[in-house]
Amino acid sequence: MKIEFPYTLNIPPPNMARSIISFFSFLSILSLLTLTPAVSALPLSTSSRWIVDESGQRVKLACVNWVSHLDTVVAEGLSKQPVDAIAKLIVSLGFNCVRLTWPLFLGTNETLAAVTVRQSFQSLGLLDSISGIQSNNPALVDLPLLKAYQAVVSSLGSNNVMVILDNHLSKPGWCCSNTDGNGFFGDQYFNPDLWITGLTRMATLFKGVSNVVGMSLRNELRGPKQNVNDWYKYMQRGAEAVHSANADVLVILSGLSFDTDLSFLAKRPVNLTFAGKTVFEVHWYGFSDGQAWQSGNPNQVCGQVYNNVKRKSGFLLEEGFPLFVSEFGADQRGTNVNDNRYLNCFMAAAAELDVDFALWTLVGSYYFREGVVGMEEYYGILNWDWSDIRNSSLTQRLSVLQSPLQGPGLSQSRMHKIIFHPATGLCLLKVGFLGPLKLGPCSQSGAWTYSSRKVLTLKGTYFCIQADELNKPAAVGILCTTTNSQWDIISDSKLHLQSKTTDGTEVCLDVDSSNTVVTSSCKCLSRDNSCDPASQWFKLVDSTINSTPTSPILEITSVVHMIEATN
């Protein structure tokens, strides 16, 4: 489908620095592994818990958050790189979607919307940023703020990137606190009628802009005024207003308590006049649970937190609604123990549920945040000057979440399991004739089955995973009736696979420094908060997507010949 825009921007070819060229060389390789299929059959709708295109095939929203709601009311990074280069970078990183934030006043205050980019930065004394935008995006610098916002959407569309417009707050600035006046209906800056007006205007403005596939009604409802009755009253009004103005977009509803709680929907569903467009969103961060991940045992915390997430929001998948994890993320320097442990658990949950998501954040630095000029964002994919990836191993690790594992139109094979290792983002592979078992790209994992006898067998063969000896590579065998072929899913996290060696020693699957799968003593199962069980965490994940093994798999007939030859 042709994408049409109400505003056309001609951007001169970017003058890329040598570091950027090197960066894109790396990304071009990475994209071969992570790039998701282009989406053309827009608009999107819902089919039970799935988001689908016009042909009824599932489209997984693999988004990244791009901030455009702070004091300048300009998408971050435009002083560092050309907008088209940023859009291409997003695609190269494997994302097919951007959650583009906006403040309500941009859509309701005509004076603000008419302020130019240059004037906005001048009012804050950000002269260096003006020079950067003049150099990298000269066609933007004298546009009104609303036109500049449209231009970013247009550039993303030109690169086949879907956009979700996220009303992040009312008054431009950093979000969020309980007392910032932006939290809930009736707060200082949150007039419900004005909010409806703003949603209607933005929905109307982007009607016919086909890469705008959804509108998130409001980010992180919170504060002392929040209550369920007003949630239904105003969120249903907002949903109806958006759908009336633009019936093409998905209407995305957030929950209470900083968008961590949708549990009230279990007893009282929303009552809307339209169907096939409703999506719910939830946020999940490590800091949502304070320092529990660092101070508690990771297995126990993961089990408790995951069960809480399912109780508060995950149940909606079973109720037949898509659930969009519109914010998650971690300190990408890799030194935050709380975030690292949380992210391992999150990766397992996100793969198991196969949810749509938006990573926080693309942004490597901000023009101006909370009074600080040029503040660095350590949750950002990019570094401070937007010239390189902050943590390439983490970026590659997330790539497994960017492609759907199942859903309408994607049943290439019968349901099977992939054996996912959250700490690396890789999957268990059988390499060669009789092994070894190693970690590798999930697209090459092969199909596994997990029988009622708790045997993990490579589909289409008689090969199963066996515990041979303690601290030795996991074995691959064909005699799969012994106890060393049975794997129990244990611990509060349900992420340990435990068996017994031939001498009765209890072991868990583990991974060594060469990514070889080994059997080690099970660790960190409970109480101890000083150790990290991440190397032993595996998740059996359902999939209907064909995979391409890295080496030939011995077929059943060959196994039969082997057995006959030994008799």
Side-chain angles (χ1 to χ4, degrees), residues 69 75 147 247 255 437 514:
H69 66 269
K147 290 290 186 181
L437 296 170
S514 67

Side-chain angles (χ1 to χ4, degrees), residues 270-325:
V270 292
N271 182 18
L272 299 173
T273 62
F274 60 92
K277 290 289 185 178
T278 306
V279 176
F280 294 99
E281 64 177 309
V282 65
H283 293 178
W284 183 5
Y285 287 105
F287 56 72
S288 300
D289 298 284
Q291 293 297 305
W293 294 95
Q294 182 172 350
S295 61
N297 173 268
N299 275 300
Q300 293 174 309
V301 175
C302 181
Q304 293 164 1
V305 171
Y306 185 27
N307 287 335
N308 198 38
V309 169
K310 287 190 289 186
R311 179 181 62 83
K312 288 187 172 184
S313 59
F315 71 92
L316 288 165
L317 296 170
E318 298 176 0
E319 295 286 334
F321 291 99
L323 184 64
F324 177 41
V325 184

Side-chain angles (χ1 to χ4, degrees), residues 406-419:
Q406 53 180 308
L410 298 177
S411 297
Q412 301 170 350
S413 65
R414 291 186 178 181
M415 187 72 74
H416 58 271
K417 305 286 186 184
I418 59 174
I419 306 175

Side-chain angles (χ1 to χ4, degrees), residues 37-53:
V39 177
S40 58
L42 301 173
L44 303 180
S45 59
T46 65
S47 175
S48 185
R49 61 146 294 183
W50 310 106
I51 294 171
V52 297
D53 63 17

Side-chain angles (χ1 to χ4, degrees), residues 420-458:
F420 177 57
H421 190 248
T424 59
L426 301 174
C427 286
L428 190 149
L429 321 178
K430 185 180 81 68
V431 180
F433 185 67
L434 288 175
L437 296 170
K438 297 184 74 73
L439 295 183
C442 292
S443 60
Q444 301 173 357
S445 71
W448 297 86
T449 61
Y450 186 58
S451 72
S452 59
R453 294 188 299 109
K454 303 179 181 179
V455 176
L456 285 165
T457 306
L458 193 59

Side-chain angles (χ1 to χ4, degrees), residues 259-432:
D259 202 8
T260 62
D261 188 4
L262 289 157
S263 60
F264 47 88
L265 291 168
K267 294 183 178 179
R268 181 182 171 187
V270 292
N271 182 18
L272 299 173
T273 62
F274 60 92
K277 290 289 185 178
T278 306
V279 176
F280 294 99
E281 64 177 309
V282 65
H283 293 178
W284 183 5
Y285 287 105
F287 56 72
S288 300
D289 298 284
Q291 293 297 305
W293 294 95
Q294 182 172 350
S295 61
N297 173 268
N299 275 300
Q300 293 174 309
V301 175
C302 181
Q304 293 164 1
V305 171
Y306 185 27
N307 287 335
N308 198 38
V309 169
K310 287 190 289 186
R311 179 181 62 83
K312 288 187 172 184
S313 59
F315 71 92
L316 288 165
L317 296 170
E318 298 176 0
E319 295 286 334
F321 291 99
L323 184 64
F324 177 41
V325 184
S326 58
E327 285 188 28
F328 77 97
D331 186 332
Q332 296 204 22
R333 291 172 294 182
T335 56
N336 186 316
V337 173
N338 201 65
D339 274 5
N340 293 345
R341 291 179 173 182
Y342 139 81
L343 190 60
N344 291 329
C345 182
F346 174 85
M347 290 286 294
E352 177 188 25
L353 299 176
D354 198 11
V355 289
D356 304 273
F357 67 87
L359 174 70
W360 188 274
T361 171
L362 175 72
V363 174
S365 59
Y366 300 98
Y367 306 120
F368 182 80
R369 173 182 152 184
E370 299 174 292
V372 178
V373 176
M375 180 184 286
E376 188 157 9
E377 173 58 272
Y378 295 115
Y379 276 53
I381 291 176
L382 303 180
N383 62 3
W384 182 85
D385 64 2
W386 296 56
S387 66
D388 205 348
I389 297 174
R390 188 178 299 277
N391 185 336
S392 59
S393 63
L394 181 56
T395 306
Q396 293 178 69
R397 177 180 166 194
L398 292 172
S399 68
V400 69
L401 301 181
Q402 294 174 320
S403 297
L405 295 171
Q406 53 180 308
L410 298 177
S411 297
Q412 301 170 350
S413 65
R414 291 186 178 181
M415 187 72 74
H416 58 271
K417 305 286 186 184
I418 59 174
I419 306 175
F420 177 57
H421 190 248
T424 59
L426 301 174
C427 286
L428 190 149
L429 321 178
K430 185 180 81 68
V431 180

